Amino acid sequence: MESWLESQQFEFLTEVNLGSWSGKNARVMAQEAGCIDFYNYVFQPFSAAVHSYWSHVGRINVEYCQNPAHNFHFLPVIPSFKPDAHWCRMAGKYLSKTLNSLDEFIGKPELPIRSYGVIHDALVEPDSEG
């Protein structure tokens, strides 16, 4: 992975500023909030895709030109993926987790209907109206 990164941009020439508005990095804030598992398994892997970091775009959205006269430069591609309800369920699950954390923080009582349940049920049960 390091050699791939070096082929994209010289790491030793890249300034990296890890500062943030709070003076803490996202990992420390996740540890303090008690959701380091969420940071490790959800936030970190998907952050590169959401923010279009080259570490994601360079693997998913480019391919090498096959013409050696062009020095195998990069060509942009938009891969075609089939829709997958898994990502909608994940969005509902993490939205629910976020709202539950907010409810706990501000002291709201448990609500009878949770957002995750509503989204999940809508995806699992076909719409009766068509």
Side-chain angles (χ1 to χ4, degrees):
M1 183 60 103
E2 189 174 324
S3 64
W4 182 83
L5 287 171
E6 285 288 332
S7 75
Q8 308 305 309
Q9 182 176 8
F10 292 123
E11 190 175 356
F12 69 91
L13 295 176
T14 305
E15 179 183 337
V16 177
N17 180 356
L18 299 177
S20 71
W21 60 269
S22 67
K24 301 175 185 176
N25 64 36
R27 181 176 189 79
V28 170
M29 289 189 282
Q31 286 172 326
E32 290 177 358
C35 55
I36 192 67
D37 59 331
F38 183 80
Y39 175 86
N40 288 336
Y41 299 114
V42 179
F43 175 80
Q44 191 65 22
F46 294 117
S47 183
V50 169
H51 296 288
S52 297
Y53 292 165
W54 185 249
S55 62
H56 173 78
V57 172
R59 289 181 292 164
I60 305 298
N61 297 109
V62 297
E63 61 185 27
Y64 288 103
C65 175
Q66 296 304 306
N67 187 339
H70 294 169
N71 199 24
F72 302 105
H73 70 286
F74 293 123
L75 296 171
V77 295
I78 299 175
S80 178
F81 296 108
K82 293 181 180 179
D84 187 351
H86 168 73
W87 301 112
C88 293
R89 284 191 294 275
M90 281 184 62
K93 176 181 172 183
Y94 296 130
L95 175 61
S96 179
K97 185 173 183 170
T98 301
L99 295 175
N100 287 340
S101 295
L102 178 63
D103 288 346
E104 287 177 23
F105 180 76
I106 62 175
K108 282 275 199 179
E110 279 292 311
L111 299 175
I113 300 173
R114 307 310 305 166
S115 60
Y116 176 74
V118 172
I119 293 172
H120 180 270
D121 292 347
L123 291 171
V124 172
E125 299 172 8
D127 186 13
S128 61
E129 295 178 13

